[in-house]
Structure formats: C-alpha cells, structure tokens
Amino acid sequence: QLGTNLRDLGLSLLAGDVQGVMRAHINVGVCHTNRGLLALARAHTEEGARLAAAHGARIAEMIAENNLAMLAADEGRLADARAHVARSLDRARERGLPGLAETWAVLVRVALEEGQADEAREAARKVREVARASERTLAARVEARLDAGGARDALRATLAEVVDDPYERATTRLALAAAERAAGDAATATRLEAEADAALEALGAD
C-alpha cells in the first residue's frame, strides 16, 4: 500500500489535484505509522491536515487530526495528543458527527496516563457508542485499558470471535500479550507477540 499511495501522491501533485494530494499525504502517513516510521508519518499527516484546513475539507481534517493524535500518544506527547483530539472532534461536530472511535480511544489513553479516571470512563463510553462492527477489537482494547483485571478475558473473547481484519487481530494479540505479561505469563505473551509480528510482517505492516 505504501508504494501505491506514494504513486498517488506523485500523480496528484503533477495534476494539481489538491484533494488527491491531501488524501495521499494522509494515507502515506498511515503506512509509515504502521511501519514504525513515526517522524515520516507525522510529516505527511501534518501536511495533509494543513491542506485540509486550508481548503475547508473538514472530514479529511478530522481524519488527519485523529491520526496525529494517535502519533502523539504513541510518542508520549500527551498535551499534543489532547490538542489533536480536540481539533478532530471539533471538525466532526461541525459536520454533525460524533467523532471517530479511534479519537475517543486516544482520549482514553491520555486520560489514564494523566490519572483522569472519570474522563477515561466517559471517553470509553463514547468509543462503545460510536464504534462500528468492524471496530469491536478496538473497543475491546479500550475496555482492557480500563479493567486490567478483566483484560485477558475480554481480549481472549475478542480473539475467539470471527474477526475479518488481520491487522486488527494482530494488534489485539499484542494487547493481549501485554496483559499476559503483566499477569506474569511470559511464555504466553512471547507466543502471542511472535504470532502478531508474523502477521504484521506478512501484511507488510500496512
């Protein structure tokens, strides 16, 4: 997917297609994020967000700000993550939308890191409220963050369901691995990590 999106970016630049350029920047950012290249991901996503804001593309800006929020949270930049969450939710409200489940999930992460348990629970409620059927693994991972004691059971139950998205299955395996390791089961954690790594490698982490 990275190669395809880079080609799209080049062709859109040549054609002067601003919408195509912003979409390609955002997509390339996602590909770099999945490969762990966070600085490149941030640069492309910021450019996508800038173009979206300049041209009034509210949905594209909502998505770009959501992706920047996730990057900031991954890098431990909690204040930046909050700011991007707020901008993503603002763009969503301008279009009469409740926001993306991923955005509310980032807020759960940030609130827990900051010790704001009530805010985290309210954000988790919003995840459950807006998550699509395809995002049930995301919702399960959010619930696991709130209930460390029940995390393993919840994540095991999610993996036992039929999940069509192999990337979601892999990331849920990684979340379960972390829960197993925290519970002292290093062998199971190592096995789950190896399975997730193999799946992500097969997918090209895109």
Side-chain angles (χ1 to χ4, degrees), residues 19 26 35 53 66 77 92 98 136 153 164 181-182 195:
Q19 296 288 332
I26 293 169
R35 291 165 180 255
N66 168 77
R77 296 182 288 110
R136 61 186 180 274
D153 288 342
D164 295 331
R181 197 174 295 283
E195 291 172 355

Side-chain angles (χ1 to χ4, degrees), residues 21-36:
V21 171
M22 78 174 69
R23 182 174 58 249
H25 271 301
I26 293 169
N27 289 340
V28 169
V30 171
C31 291
H32 283 315
T33 298
N34 292 341
R35 291 165 180 255

